[in-house]
Amino acid sequence: MSNEHNLPGGPHFAFRDGELHVERLPLRGLALSYGTPLFVYSAASMLEALAAYQRGFAGRNARICYAMKANSSLAILQLFARAGCGFDIVSGGELKRVLAAGGDPSKVIFSGVGKTRAEMRLALEAGIGCFNVESEQELNVLDEVARSAGVVADISIRVNPDVDPKTHPYISTGLRGNKFGIAHQQALTAYRHAAGLTGLRIRGIDCHIGSQITQETPYLDAMDRILDLVGAIEDAGIALEHIDFGGGLGIDYNGDTPPRADALWAQLLHRLDARGYGDRLLMIEPGRSLVGNAGVCVTEVLYLKTGEQKNFCVVDAAMNDLPRPAMYQAFHGIVPLSRSDATPSPWDVVGPICESGDWIGRDRQLAVRSGDLLAVLSAGAYCMSMASNYNTRGRAAEVLVDGDQHWLIRERESAGDLFAGEHLVTA
Ligand code: LLP
């Protein structure tokens, strides 16, 4: 049975008097107030995750740009903006969220393989810090858009270092077969090309090799390959002010033991210093590692169905709220909010959506009855931000906890919200 020492999320998600708490509040009380499914986040857990990076970069010229695709709820962005973070965005919509949350546009970097002209214009108007350009064609289009707006766009080129991050194939991004970045061998040509475009100002270089990385080696390999390139680019007379190593550090879902951010960066900085690049502005784009373990999704058990082959525990959260198991066969821990002495038995925890892929956990040992409340763990990253409205299900509510205080940071969507922009044919 779980205890406070083995729940991912560290000390901020722990059982006290048999009840699961987030910081100083029992989750049951929040679920009763706001209903289920309900995402609950710990502010302290997020700030501690950030502090590990800040410790790692102490005394360095470094910028942490939170990859907001992991969780883009406004109050979460506000928390990171107040803590001094910049943001890694991948759409005009994400930029609007940063601005609405009070983020500083000059600390925004814009990644992604398919930026539209309209998104480029929006970002130039807002005065973002840097575009991470992912193809030669994008260089040309951005140059054109910037010149017609009478401005110069600051850019870095995302280089695909062709390093295996040893993670799920859907979340590997730095391999030769992935759509991301400009191939390592073509990077120098792309930089030379960019240097000749008057609408662009070259600032740096960047890479991002994948997500949920739990080993140090892929980072060290990627760093070596990027630094080789930095040398070649600068030999060609093109100065690079910053080096951006992307995000990707993994979290604990199921006993995973990724390196701590400060320990990982101690190693990487050692390598950077040894190769003479330790004085550059360093940028990183962590997403999951800042928020993933800081959130849970509370769900109610609706029905128990025992069968010949399988027992199903049907809960009110589904693949529209928690898409990772269906998309990546991902594991999220599941624990009842209240401890009991009842004997556990194996259950497939599934949602109400009409798809066999709508499962949240398979073969979980749980002692459950209908009406019980369960917490799906490590649900702070890539859950709400990937939630959908499939089966006309409104997205869940979200609560942020800080000590014994809490805020409803997103209201539950109603069915009316979902079809508010639709029109019947009037003819
Ligand atoms: N920078 C870039 C350019 C990225 O593409 C990503 C994530 C990040 C930073 C942040 O990576 P992180 O630190 O969160 O690993 N939906 C998947 C993960 C997709 C990650 C996409 N890119 C999942 O739920 O596992």
Side-chain angles (χ1 to χ4, degrees):
M1 181 179 284
S2 301
N3 61 46
E4 49 266 48
H5 300 300
N6 63 11
L7 286 187
H12 305 296
F13 295 87
F15 284 95
R16 276 199 291 279
D17 302 326
E19 281 289 317
L20 184 56
H21 283 59
V22 54
E23 302 199 21
R24 299 222 287 277
L25 295 179
L27 275 168
R28 175 174 302 279
L30 295 172
L32 293 179
S33 300
Y34 299 108
T36 54
L38 180 71
F39 284 93
V40 182
Y41 307 111
S42 156
S45 173
M46 293 185 202
L47 291 174
E48 276 174 23
L50 176 63
Y53 283 102
Q54 289 166 330
R55 270 196 309 278
F57 288 128
R60 301 282 178 155
N61 186 12
R63 174 163 305 154
I64 299 167
C65 293
Y66 168 52
M68 60 180 284
K69 62 173 79 70
N71 187 321
S72 52
S73 300
L74 291 187
I76 307 288
L77 304 183
Q78 180 189 32
L79 179 131
F80 286 117
R82 285 181 172 167
C85 290
F87 296 93
D88 171 55
I89 64 166
V90 289
S91 71
E94 287 197 341
L95 176 56
K96 288 184 180 169
R97 281 187 172 273
V98 170
L99 299 176
D104 177 351
S106 72
K107 293 187 194 165
V108 167
I109 52 180
F110 193 170
S111 305
V113 292
K115 304 174 192 80
T116 64
R117 284 179 160 81
E119 288 176 318
M120 290 173 178
R121 272 192 292 273
L122 184 74
L124 288 170
E125 274 163 29
I128 68 158
C130 194
F131 289 84
N132 289 348
V133 177
E134 306 221 11
S135 65
E136 288 226 25
Q137 284 198 351
E138 188 192 334
L139 284 173
N140 295 335
V141 172
L142 182 58
D143 170 58
E144 192 185 300
V145 172
R147 281 189 292 107
S148 67
V151 295
V152 176
D154 288 327
I155 64 136
S156 90
I157 292 183
R158 176 166 175 187
V159 173
N160 185 336
D162 194 22
V163 163
D164 184 356
K166 302 192 170 54
T167 182
H168 191 282
Y170 284 12
I171 51 178
S172 296
T173 49
L175 280 167
R176 206 173 304 170
N178 294 132
K179 70 177 176 182
F180 298 100
I182 290 183
H184 194 263
Q185 314 80 274
Q186 291 162 16
L188 184 55
T189 313
Y191 270 97
R192 284 207 170 102
H193 178 62
L197 299 174
T198 55
L200 308 182
R201 187 187 301 118
I202 296 170
R203 290 288 192 192
I205 187 166
D206 79 281
C207 73
H208 169 79
I209 55 174
S211 201
Q212 186 53 19
I213 301 168
T214 54
Q215 300 172 26
E216 284 169 1
T217 329
Y219 278 107
L220 289 162
D221 291 350
M223 172 165 282
D224 278 338
R225 291 179 65 81
I226 292 296
L227 294 184
D228 291 346
L229 257 182
V230 173
I233 294 164
E234 296 204 326
D235 285 346
I238 300 168
L240 298 173
E241 290 162 33
H242 77 244
I243 306 178
D244 173 350
F245 285 105
L249 183 57
I251 61 168
D252 176 16
Y253 284 106
N254 189 17
D256 307 289
T257 52
R260 282 189 2 216
D262 48 357
L264 173 68
W265 274 97
Q267 293 235 32
L268 290 170
L269 288 169
H270 184 69
R271 181 80 54 112
L272 266 173
D273 288 340
R275 295 196 53 179
Y277 295 107
D279 57 340
R280 301 299 161 102
L281 169 61
L282 301 174
M283 315 229 289
I284 51 162
E285 307 163 2
R288 188 193 314 268
S289 53
L290 292 181
V291 293
N293 283 146
V296 297
C297 180
V298 183
T299 182
E300 181 181 336
V301 177
L302 299 175
Y303 303 108
L304 297 176
K305 286 173 64 164
T306 47
E308 276 183 16
Q309 288 198 347
K310 285 262 183 196
N311 296 329
F312 292 102
C313 169
V314 185
V315 298
D316 65 358
M319 66 188 280
N320 73 302
D321 306 295
L322 296 159
R324 304 190 66 259
M327 282 187 76
Y328 321 110
Q329 297 80 46
F331 181 97
H332 287 268
I334 302 174
V335 295
L337 293 198
S338 305
R339 283 189 157 158
S340 86
D341 294 329
T343 312
S345 47
W347 297 95
D348 272 17
V349 179
V350 300
I353 284 184
C354 304
E355 298 265 355
S356 296
D358 181 23
W359 57 276
I360 295 169
R362 288 189 164 139
D363 289 321
R364 301 302 175 86
Q365 288 290 332
L366 292 165
V368 273
R369 288 168 312 182
S370 61
D372 282 358
L373 294 172
L374 306 177
V376 180
L377 307 177
S378 312
Y382 303 111
C383 293
M384 178 51 99
S385 61
M386 289 174 64
S388 79
N389 294 121
Y390 188 36
N391 281 200
T392 306
R393 288 169 53 89
R395 284 175 301 166
E398 295 181 294
V399 166
L400 179 65
V401 173
D402 183 5
D404 56 8
Q405 285 188 293
H406 76 276
W407 295 269
L408 179 67
I409 59 167
R410 184 197 293 261
E411 291 173 23
R412 186 174 303 287
E413 266 174 344
S414 69
D417 294 333
L418 303 191
F419 53 74
E422 296 182 37
H423 304 284
L424 294 174
V425 172
T426 50

